[in-house]
Amino acid sequence: MEKDFKLIATTILTHLGGASNVDSATNCITRLRVNVKNPELIKLEELKKSDSVMQVINDGKIVQVVLGPGIVKKVADQFYPLLKETTSATPTPTPTPTPNGILNIKI
């Protein structure tokens, strides 16, 4: 049975506290490396039990999810767009000028 790499990526992202908690992410041949904003949002035990996760190395704001060669690239290819989808769904504040020239930003 073929693995669902998008589901694996989504599960990892959820256990890392969601896209809004990810500061940056990259991968090497075996690991997905993620810098998080708030390490307290990480569900470490759930992350360790996730499908295809071999090991998790957590060093504060730096989390390395070991997936192994052949899997990490496929998961990473699904993981990166999830970060963009979630952040682009958040409306960008639009500044509006006031009569006195001061900008108000509506959030």
Side-chain angles (χ1 to χ4, degrees):
M1 178 180 229
E2 182 78 18
K3 288 189 178 277
D4 185 343
F5 297 108
K6 186 167 186 172
L7 178 61
I8 296 167
T10 302
T11 301
I12 290 171
L13 183 59
T14 299
H15 294 323
L16 289 172
S20 61
N21 195 38
V22 175
D23 194 29
S24 64
T26 189
N27 68 282
C28 68
I29 196 156
T30 60
R31 301 172 187 205
L32 181 63
R33 294 187 171 109
V34 183
N35 293 332
V36 297
K37 296 174 184 173
N38 183 352
E40 292 179 15
L41 297 178
I42 300 169
K43 296 176 184 169
L44 192 58
E45 290 309 311
E46 289 89 343
L47 185 57
K48 289 179 180 180
K49 294 176 190 173
S50 298
D51 182 32
S52 298
V53 173
M54 299 169 68
Q55 183 180 8
V56 177
I57 301 161
N58 183 13
D59 185 19
K61 290 187 173 187
I62 301 169
V63 181
Q64 297 182 50
V65 182
V66 181
L67 299 164
I71 294 178
V72 70
K73 175 75 170 113
K74 294 173 184 172
V75 172
D77 286 346
Q78 299 298 318
F79 187 84
Y80 301 137
L82 290 173
L83 297 176
K84 293 177 184 174
E85 284 175 18
T86 307
T87 55
S88 66
T90 305
T92 305
T94 307
T96 55
T98 62
N100 60 4
I102 297 173
L103 291 178
N104 289 328
I105 299 177
K106 295 181 183 180
I107 299 176

